[in-house]
Amino acid sequence: HFSASQASAAAAAPSEGSALEAQSRALERAANAVLGVQTLAVADARSNNTLGRVRQGSGVVIGTDGLVLTIGYLVLEADQVQLILDDGRNLPARVVGYDLATGFGLVQSLAPLNVAPVPLGRSADVAPDDTLLVVSGEPASQLSAARMVSRRVFAGYWEYRIDDALLTSPARTDHSGAGLFNPRGELVGIGSLVVSNAAGEDAPRLSGNMFVPTDLLRPILAELRRTGASAASRRAWLGINCIEQRGQVRVVRVADDSPAEAGGLQVGDRIVAIDGKPVATLDALWTELWRGAAEREVALDVERGGMVRKLNLGTVDRQRQLAVQQGFVMRAA
């Protein structure tokens, strides 16, 4: 870890005079804008089983009104939110939005932050091998350089998929909600998780981090502030975790009291098809699941014990279900 001035040297080609000074100031502003985020979920939150009730990560100040962008799972079903600043202040905050489709979370400080916000950069402009700056705010700002390794569709095991995910290396373990900045100090991504295949499935194994690109935030930011979620977040949910291996998709977890449990899906089942469409990847499974209405019946062909059977499952609107439990009320668009 090193200072913003050192990060400036690492993040760009050497330059002289005012240009280098401006870059140093921009990166220092970026470092100062990353805060610690600590949340306490409601006692009976479904997500406590996998995420725990107390969660800690980072967030980035993006608004003059104390608006902070973070990763969604930190604020999922959150009842209390605290922002932890480098100067020792712990400030209460409220959940503004949780977006299932992108994975972003928004919180707003309930007291003046006195922290300059950072501008959103264009994540589409980040190229392979670019050197970027990763800043974490837990428990205090920690900075390091990272190399952009790849950009691609990312399909997660937990019913999650985004376009143009940013994959960087080396890996940071304090990635949750961390900010990814370009050399101009503009925010281009929010940290989500550690991956073992940052360079891609067909490349040698390389540990790294996946960042959600800020280009996904631009079109929905006003909607998130107004309604708490984007329209794309109203989609079908089964309640399963799956892994993809050698062209097969297998169930590794079935959530309690979920459509998958009610429909008889079991750990170890291989999902062969959904609504008659063959499934060989997580991308294909989630894309087909979300193609129809959020609440409907889907047909799964699953292989179990060498035999293929058909299961009919009634999906639910996951975003609407969570809205009842979270510390904010969903509003009509």
Side-chain angles (χ1 to χ4, degrees):
H1 302 304
F2 42 89
S3 67
S5 60
Q6 290 172 306
S8 174
S15 58
E16 297 179 359
S18 59
L20 182 58
E21 293 175 2
Q23 184 183 59
S24 296
R25 288 194 299 271
L27 291 172
E28 184 175 6
R29 177 184 60 186
N32 292 336
V34 180
L35 317 173
V37 177
Q38 187 174 74
T39 65
L40 179 69
V42 295
D44 60 348
R46 183 193 299 270
S47 57
N48 290 351
N49 293 332
T50 53
L51 298 173
R53 191 178 178 199
V54 178
R55 305 164 196 175
Q56 186 159 328
S58 305
V60 185
V61 181
I62 63 169
T64 56
D65 57 351
L67 189 68
V68 174
L69 178 66
T70 186
I71 196 67
Y73 57 74
L74 291 179
V75 301
L76 176 61
E77 300 176 304
D79 186 46
Q80 300 176 31
V81 182
Q82 291 280 328
L83 300 177
I84 305 168
L85 282 69
D86 284 349
D87 61 12
R89 289 182 294 157
N90 285 12
L91 302 179
R94 69 180 182 92
V95 177
V96 173
Y98 166 68
D99 193 56
L100 191 67
T102 61
F104 286 126
L106 282 178
V107 301
Q108 187 169 35
S109 178
L110 297 177
L113 282 177
N114 298 322
V115 173
V118 294
L120 299 180
R122 281 181 46 84
S123 50
D125 290 342
V126 180
D129 292 326
D130 278 359
T131 301
L132 305 168
L133 182 68
V134 179
V135 186
S136 165
E138 55 163 325
S141 292
Q142 302 288 328
L143 298 77
S144 68
R147 180 173 65 92
M148 170 71 172
V149 176
S150 65
R151 173 193 284 111
R152 63 179 186 272
V153 169
F154 178 85
Y157 61 84
W158 64 99
E159 298 187 49
Y160 178 72
R161 179 200 179 279
I162 58 171
D163 291 317
D164 295 324
L166 304 179
L167 285 300
T168 66
S169 186
R172 286 273 297 262
T173 57
D174 54 348
H175 52 76
S176 300
L180 184 68
F181 297 90
N182 64 23
R184 294 182 297 277
E186 299 166 337
L187 183 67
V188 295
I190 290 290
S192 178
L193 75 161
V194 173
V195 297
S196 61
N197 58 342
E201 294 295 338
D202 298 328
R205 290 295 181 185
L206 178 66
S207 181
N209 293 119
M210 189 277 278
F211 288 83
V212 182
T214 53
D215 283 358
L216 297 182
L217 179 67
R218 292 177 181 277
I220 64 169
L221 180 55
E223 185 181 14
L224 286 184
R225 300 195 69 158
R226 186 176 67 252
T227 69
S230 68
S233 289
R234 298 202 180 280
R235 60 192 188 189
W237 178 72
L238 292 174
I240 55 175
N241 291 169
C242 295
I243 58 171
E244 173 188 327
Q245 290 182 329
R246 296 183 293 276
Q248 297 185 353
V249 174
R250 291 195 179 274
V251 179
V252 294
R253 181 177 176 273
V254 177
D256 294 339
D257 193 26
S258 66
E261 183 184 58
L265 204 60
Q266 297 179 9
V267 171
D269 285 348
R270 174 193 168 201
I271 299 179
V272 178
I274 177 171
D275 290 335
K277 304 291 181 61
V279 168
T281 64
L282 291 175
D283 187 4
L285 175 59
W286 305 144
T287 299
E288 193 61 36
L289 174 63
W290 302 328
R291 196 178 300 280
E295 297 181 343
R296 71 185 196 282
E297 185 174 278
V298 298
L300 293 184
D301 293 339
V302 301
E303 180 187 18
R304 182 188 304 164
M307 299 180 60
V308 175
R309 63 191 70 195
K310 187 178 294 290
L311 302 178
N312 294 315
L313 286 70
T315 67
V316 299
D317 184 338
R318 177 63 161 162
Q319 188 75 41
R320 187 179 298 278
Q321 184 185 51
L322 291 172
V324 176
Q325 299 169 328
Q326 286 180 226
F328 71 98
V329 177
M330 294 288 289
R331 298 166 290 281

